Amino acid sequence: MSANPHAEHLQELLEGLNEPQREAVTHGEGPLLILAGAGSGKTRVLTHRLAYLIYTDQAQAGEILAITFTNKAAREMSERVKRLLGRDTRGMWLMTFHAACARILRAEAARLGYTRQFTIYDQADSRRLTKRSADAVGVDLKRFTPAAIHNQISAAKNRLRAAADYRETVASPFEEMVADVYDIYERDLHRMNAMDFDDLLFRTVNLLELFEDVRERYVSTFRHVLVDEYQDTNHAQYRLLQLLVGGGREAPARGARTSVTGHRNLAVVGDDSQSVYGFRGADIKNILEFQDDFKDARVVKLEQNYRSTQTILSAANAVIANNRGGIAKRLWSELGQGDQIHVRVLEDEHAEARFVVGEIERLVDEGASRDEIAVLYRTNAMSRVIEDALVRKEIAYQVIGGTKFYERAEIKDAIAYLSLLANPFDVVSFTRVVNSPRRGIGQTSLSRVLAHAEALGVSVWEAASRPEEVPGLGAAAIKALGRFMATMEELRKLAGAPPGDGGEEEGEASSNGVPVGDLIEALLTQTGYIEALKAERTIEAQGRIENLQELIEVGHEFDAGVAEGQDTLGVFLQQVALVADADTRTDDEGLVTLMTVHNAKGTEYPTIFVTGLEDGVFPHSRALEEGALEEERRLFYVAVTRAMRELYLTHARRRAAFGAQTYGLRSRFLDEIPSDLLDEPQETMFRPGAISARVGLSRAASAAELGDREPGAWSGRAAGTRERPAASSFRLGEDVIHAAFGDGVVTGVEPGGVIVVRFADDGSERKLMAEYAPVSRR
DNA sequence: ATCCTGATTTTTTTT
DNA sequence: AAATCAGGAT
């Protein structure tokens, strides 16, 4: 090693690592399992290992595939490796599974009968397509939602079961119906030159299984493969890794060859106690059985925690001990006992929010920074009430998750236009934009065009380009469609794609178009999209225009950072299809952060609030129904271990769900924490709720007891009925304030007590029930 | 083809 | 409480 020109750097790299960390970093070839407890310096180990591999010449940057769970994690890791190496990490494949697969598939698309311009459908698109397929099969959509059907298909794909394989295993009428839909859904996806999220993994596996030469190329390209958050991998991802490195378990599957050869240089990092994505096919067995899959695997346990106080760790350890069959670990910390964990019960979710915000105010007064504080909850819907309280106290905050930028209708429309330009077979995008803005092409005309395209076996683009040939199309529709396609044709030239029915794969055909930012700008004006929004003259439309301007900006930024000449549109589309909202989180901006516990994974904050700790909320009732209590407990474990110094756990006696009030018992997880770790006002220990939790009274009984304490306070939905102005008392143009949306002005008064309010904050215009909405005169 | 109204649903978590 | 959707009116 002393001969290494980087010897100095190497020593620096290993300094300050503890023994197991160093072992993981310096491990050479062969399988490696790093069991990294929460806060044990996992990212540090990963980044140092990447740098180490390069410094010791075990791999060039371009020979490393490093998989992370989110794009944000990839970006952060890339930054840190760059800092360690003192130079660029260019060439390194540091990205999510989905991004890596999309990249491979674009390069090899022709092998699978796709063009490299294939479209990636997100969940909403996939559901829409599922609905279409279900309609075609004649499914009663009253009984089965497209979401439920698509979930089933998605689960099948995650287990690498194609439609035909799925059909062989059906065991109920429901599954038989799904099998029918799956058939059509698959056929249509392929016809449209499109893939859903699950296909990215599935098709890559197909590719590597079908073409040994392709597989060999990638096996030799990636001399080292690293995977973060390994406990959250699903079967498709497992198989993909197997194909990329060789080895792994000999799947007893039917048909195809299962065991493969390779270098087996696979390093995985994970924590079985933090496996929380079972609902999307993650299989905790992947990490539990890693040592069976790779008998000679080196196993390193990271148990020293550098994040939290011992009190917080003891609580986490105690809770997770209630799960069975995990890998034994014991987190410890040198940071001292620290404060007790604060447990509070509040009357309802509003009181809970006020308590949380009050504490935040106090902490900030005492010198804490807002960005050192995060509020966690189980479901996105719970953010509203907390936001409301924060707004009232004028505390700046950010919400991670919820409605995402790329899911807004106008953004999806713009992206759909781009997709259609790149992929003339993209029926979902065509359907989305053909009458947006309104062009007089309705459902009937659309169906005729689609049917015609299908009958001829040509792309929608081609069918729509000759509207006069579509049977049954009216004169008006022919004219409208003709005008629309003429515009699209022009845009297509701008995009640099060959005119007419392109889709022609091959080469970098579409390389000399205008920059993406310019293209978006051109498309929004030439299609009349912006004009139509302007004509609406509402603040809401104004907001949409601003969002679109932001998208144009995103396009320009992309153009500035991308190499010239390389099918920029395709790369741009691929990139935006795979961004998650978690990627937009910003640090150090003086903002309190609100997010779901899932989104909080991988983060840490000095102060953490976990809200809604009631049975039915957290653990979630649906999880309980599905027997997923252990996963919920792991989720709670994740929540608790985000905290560095202060941890608050709150629950409410009463909480509004849909319209009515519900009464929840305190979460069973609270009772799994040793009481000496808790700072919980004595009084609450003897509340009816707490007692009934212990003796197992039913929810209804406990509600009745609570009701007795304050007679008449809550019979039915009366609780929320405060004195409010009647609808008629709001007048046009009046200034109002809404608890969540802030200041606004009444722009309409409608029958039925409905008022229309335009809000200053985000420019949105909303219809509110004056009687029930938390809105009052300013 | 488009608009309006009433009914239904929404709340798991996300690449 | 609010968004989405389907069916019917225009």
Side-chain angles (χ1 to χ4, degrees), chain A residues 159-161 165 168 205 209 235 238-239 242 249-259:
Chain A
R159 293 193 319 259
L160 299 176
R161 294 232 178 281
D165 300 324
E168 281 179 30
V205 168
E209 282 182 340
H235 179 69
Y238 172 87
R239 178 66 180 153
Q242 196 180 35
R249 81 182 145 240
E250 305 262 341
R254 315 107 0 93
R257 153 186 50 87
T258 57
S259 92

Side-chain angles (χ1 to χ4, degrees), chain A residues 126-174:
Chain A
S126 303
R127 283 193 179 160
R128 210 159 303 154
L129 186 57
T130 303
K131 183 166 180 290
R132 266 179 36 127
S133 309
D135 275 333
V137 173
V139 172
D140 179 10
L141 289 169
K142 287 264 158 43
R143 283 173 47 85
F144 309 107
T145 65
I149 301 171
H150 182 249
N151 284 344
Q152 190 78 7
I153 294 175
S154 175
K157 288 188 175 188
N158 286 154
R159 293 193 319 259
L160 299 176
R161 294 232 178 281
D165 300 324
Y166 180 84
R167 186 177 293 286
E168 281 179 30
T169 64
V170 296
S172 69
F174 172 69

Side-chain angles (χ1 to χ4, degrees), chain A residues 493-730:
Chain A
K493 272 182 222 144
L494 263 190
D501 177 55
E504 270 81 77
E505 53 268 44
E506 293 350 304
E508 305 298 305
S510 41
S511 57
N512 46 5
V514 299
V516 176
D518 297 350
L519 181 61
I520 299 172
E521 224 168 331
L523 150 192
L524 290 173
T525 46
Q526 292 187 31
T527 58
Y529 198 96
I530 291 279
E531 208 181 326
L533 281 177
K534 279 188 181 152
E536 277 187 38
R537 307 197 137 276
T538 63
I539 292 282
E540 188 180 30
Q542 185 54 42
R544 290 179 188 278
I545 291 172
E546 278 160 23
N547 286 334
L548 289 168
Q549 274 154 357
E550 200 176 325
L551 180 68
I552 293 171
E553 193 45 43
V554 171
H556 285 317
E557 273 167 32
F558 171 85
D559 290 322
V562 87
E564 194 56 42
Q566 290 289 318
D567 178 21
T568 49
L569 177 56
V571 176
F572 178 76
L573 284 172
Q574 177 188 316
Q575 196 170 304
V576 299
L578 298 175
V579 294
D581 194 63
D583 302 329
T584 66
R585 180 171 52 232
T586 64
D587 306 320
D588 312 311
E589 293 213 21
L591 301 174
V592 172
T593 300
L594 273 54
M595 60 190 155
T596 63
V597 182
H598 281 89
N599 264 320
K601 198 158 71 121
T603 66
E604 61 178 23
Y605 292 85
T607 301
I608 289 281
F609 292 86
V610 186
T611 62
L613 284 166
E614 297 125 52
D615 262 29
V617 177
F618 197 177
H620 196 275
S621 53
R622 273 213 21 208
L624 293 173
E625 281 165 28
E626 288 163 22
L629 179 62
E630 296 213 337
E631 177 149 319
E632 291 289 299
R633 188 175 282 116
R634 291 192 290 267
L635 193 58
F636 183 62
Y637 176 86
V638 167
V640 166
T641 53
R642 295 313 94 193
M644 296 163 74
R645 293 195 296 271
E646 298 293 332
L647 177 61
Y648 289 82
L649 307 174
T650 63
H651 61 112
R653 292 200 179 88
R654 166 165 51 95
R655 185 178 295 274
F658 307 132
Q661 297 289 332
T662 58
Y663 303 88
L665 305 179
R666 61 188 250 143
S667 172
R668 62 191 74 187
F669 298 149
L670 288 175
D671 296 322
E672 293 176 1
I673 302 174
S675 53
D676 59 310
L677 301 176
L678 304 180
D679 145 37
E680 183 171 19
Q682 269 308 295
E683 178 206 19
T684 63
M685 302 299 284
F686 302 101
R687 291 263 186 226
I691 291 168
S692 62
R694 299 242 155 74
V695 299
L697 285 185
S698 76
R699 182 157 303 182
S702 128
E705 281 182 62
L706 286 165
D708 288 344
R709 289 180 55 256
E710 278 176 49
W714 46 66
S715 50
R717 49 191 310 153
T721 324
R722 267 166 276 153
E723 275 309 305
R724 284 183 198 287
S728 56
S729 72
F730 281 108

Side-chain angles (χ1 to χ4, degrees), chain A residues 44-55:
Chain A
R44 191 139 190 260
V45 167
L46 266 173
T47 52
H48 283 239
R49 177 167 171 80
L50 289 172
Y52 186 86
L53 286 174
I54 290 175
Y55 271 144

Side-chain angles (χ1 to χ4, degrees), chain A residues 199-479:
Chain A
D199 279 340
L200 294 176
L201 301 168
F202 197 173
R203 299 282 171 218
T204 306
V205 168
N206 289 159
L207 176 80
L208 300 180
E209 282 182 340
L210 249 36
F211 304 100
E212 183 62 19
D213 61 315
V214 177
R215 191 182 82 83
E216 274 166 17
R217 207 165 69 236
Y218 283 103
V219 171
S220 55
T221 299
F222 301 129
R223 288 175 57 184
H224 281 272
V225 177
L226 289 84
V227 184
D228 192 12
E229 306 281 15
Y230 188 67
Q231 76 282 354
D232 288 323
T233 53
N234 61 33
H235 179 69
Q237 290 162 334
Y238 172 87
R239 178 66 180 153
L240 180 64
L241 290 172
Q242 196 180 35
L243 289 162
L244 285 175
V245 306
R249 81 182 145 240
E250 305 262 341
R254 315 107 0 93
R257 153 186 50 87
T258 57
S259 92
V260 289
T261 56
H263 48 64
R264 301 169 78 250
N265 292 331
L266 173 65
V268 303
V269 189
D271 179 0
D272 55 295
S273 301
Q274 296 185 60
S275 168
V276 294
Y277 283 95
F279 66 90
R280 113 185 169 197
D283 188 351
I284 194 171
K285 281 200 197 117
N286 286 157
I287 193 165
L288 294 178
E289 293 172 5
F290 189 83
Q291 295 173 72
D292 296 329
D293 294 342
F294 298 94
K295 297 286 186 206
D296 56 335
R298 164 112 59 136
V299 181
V300 177
K301 273 190 199 181
L302 306 179
E303 295 176 295
Q304 180 173 2
N305 172 294
Y306 296 94
R307 176 188 296 158
S308 312
T309 62
Q310 188 58 49
T311 297
I312 289 165
L313 291 184
S314 298
N317 283 334
V319 169
I320 206 67
N322 291 289
N323 274 7
R324 334 175 97 247
I327 300 171
K329 276 178 264 78
R330 229 196 133 64
L331 288 184
W332 58 279
S333 163
E334 286 178 347
L335 300 179
Q337 284 303 318
D339 289 356
Q340 284 182 306
I341 296 164
H342 315 286
V343 174
R344 292 290 181 278
V345 56
L346 289 307
E347 258 344 282
D348 60 15
E349 73 270 31
H350 300 286
E352 181 184 46
R354 283 194 300 273
F355 169 74
V356 168
V357 171
E359 286 297 294
I360 291 175
E361 264 191 315
R362 193 176 61 74
L363 290 162
V364 170
D365 280 349
E366 289 172 3
S369 167
R370 285 185 294 269
D371 52 44
E372 293 175 344
I373 301 169
V375 184
L376 311 185
Y377 35 79
R378 180 62 178 83
T379 66
N380 280 306
M382 293 165 67
S383 75
R384 181 60 71 78
V385 179
I386 300 163
E387 285 185 65
D388 170 8
L390 286 165
V391 167
R392 281 169 197 268
K393 296 290 183 183
E394 297 183 320
I395 297 173
Y397 66 92
Q398 61 175 336
V399 184
I400 310 302
T403 334
K404 296 153 197 175
F405 180 69
Y406 286 101
E407 283 176 12
R408 290 161 194 257
E410 63 276 16
I411 302 298
K412 287 215 73 170
D413 283 345
I415 300 291
Y417 271 110
L418 290 177
S419 299
L420 184 56
L421 290 173
N423 176 12
F425 291 87
D426 188 344
V427 172
V428 171
S429 295
F430 181 87
T431 303
R432 184 169 185 106
V433 302
V434 69
N435 202 32
S436 174
R438 304 243 174 279
R439 299 185 174 92
I441 304 169
Q443 188 56 53
T444 321
S445 304
L446 173 63
S447 301
R448 288 194 174 123
V449 174
L450 296 188
H452 184 59
E454 191 157 324
L456 262 56
V458 300
S459 68
V460 244
W461 185 292
E462 195 176 334
S465 293
R466 289 191 289 278
E468 64 286 346
E469 290 173 19
V470 178
L473 217 54
I478 289 177
K479 200 172 165 199

